[in-house]
C-alpha cells in the first residue's frame, strides 16, 4: 500500500496561483515512476480527474484546466506537483492525489485507474 500526503492548498483570489505537492511513500517499486494523478471534488459534485502523468512524462488534463494547470514529477522521486495558475472560483474543491505503483504507462484521469489515494487538501478561490 502506498501512502500519499498532499500539501500546498489554501485560499487565493481569482487569477492567483497555487502549487500542490504530493509525496508517495511505502511503494514496493522503489525509484519507479509510476502513474500519478490529481482529482478534485467540489461540494455537491462528483469527483473529477484534473490531471495525470505517467512514467514517460505523458500528461492528460481536464479540458477546463488546460493551459492553466501543469502536472509534473520530480525525477527519481515519488513526488508529483500540480501548478495551478489563473485560478477561478470554479476551481474551488478538495484536491486529491492518486497513484498506481503497478502501472508505468497511461496518464489516465479516470479514478478507476488508481489504487492509492491521499487525504486531500482544500483549495478555495474567491472572487
Amino acid at each position: 500500500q502506498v501512502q500519499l500526503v498532499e500539501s500546498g492548498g489554501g485560499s487565493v483570489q481569482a487569477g492567483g496561483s497555487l502549487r500542490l505537492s504530493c509525496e508517495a511513500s511505502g511503494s514496493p517499486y522503489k525509484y519507479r515512476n509510476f502513474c500519478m494523478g490529481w482529482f478534485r471534488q467540489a461540494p455537491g459534485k462528483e469527483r473529477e480527474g484534473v490531471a495525470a502523468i505517467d512514467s514517460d512524462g505523458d500528461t492528460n488534463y481536464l479540458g477546463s484546466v488546460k493551459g492553466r494547470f501543469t502536472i509534473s514529477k520530480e525525477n527519481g522521486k515519488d513526488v508529483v506537483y500540480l501548478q495551478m495558475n489563473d485560478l477561478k472560483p470554479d476551481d474551488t474543491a478538495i484536491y486529491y492525489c492518486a497513484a498506481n505503483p503497478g502501472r508505468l504507462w497511461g496518464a489516465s484521469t479516470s479514478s478507476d485507474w488508481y489504487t492509492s489515494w491521499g487525504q486531500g487538501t482544500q483549495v478555495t478561490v474567491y472572487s
Side-chain angles (χ1 to χ4, degrees):
Q1 187 74 11
V2 175
Q3 290 77 46
L4 302 173
V5 178
E6 303 103 332
S7 61
S11 296
V12 64
Q13 193 170 18
S17 299
L18 285 173
R19 189 176 83 152
L20 306 183
S21 300
C22 173
E23 183 168 4
S25 62
S27 169
Y29 307 102
K30 211 170 184 181
Y31 307 124
R32 275 177 57 171
N33 289 318
F34 40 78
C35 295
M36 297 185 76
W38 286 97
F39 291 74
R40 68 186 181 187
Q41 188 166 19
K45 295 186 178 181
E46 293 188 356
R47 183 170 55 187
E48 61 182 357
V50 175
I53 188 167
D54 69 9
S55 62
D56 283 342
D58 290 337
T59 58
N60 194 12
Y61 294 94
L62 178 70
S64 62
V65 308
K66 281 183 181 178
R68 300 189 297 123
F69 289 12
T70 302
I71 188 170
S72 61
K73 294 184 72 175
E74 194 164 342
N75 287 339
K77 296 184 179 181
D78 296 334
V79 180
V80 65
Y81 303 99
L82 185 67
Q83 177 67 43
M84 305 185 293
N85 298 329
D86 190 23
L87 282 160
K88 305 177 186 303
D90 284 348
D91 295 319
T92 295
I94 299 175
Y95 283 70
Y96 298 91
C97 176
N100 188 336
R103 292 189 183 271
L104 292 178
W105 299 287
S108 174
T109 54
S110 171
S111 59
D112 293 341
W113 194 250
Y114 299 93
T115 57
S116 297
W117 295 84
Q119 294 299 308
T121 185
Q122 177 70 47
V123 171
T124 302
V125 185
Y126 55 91
S127 57

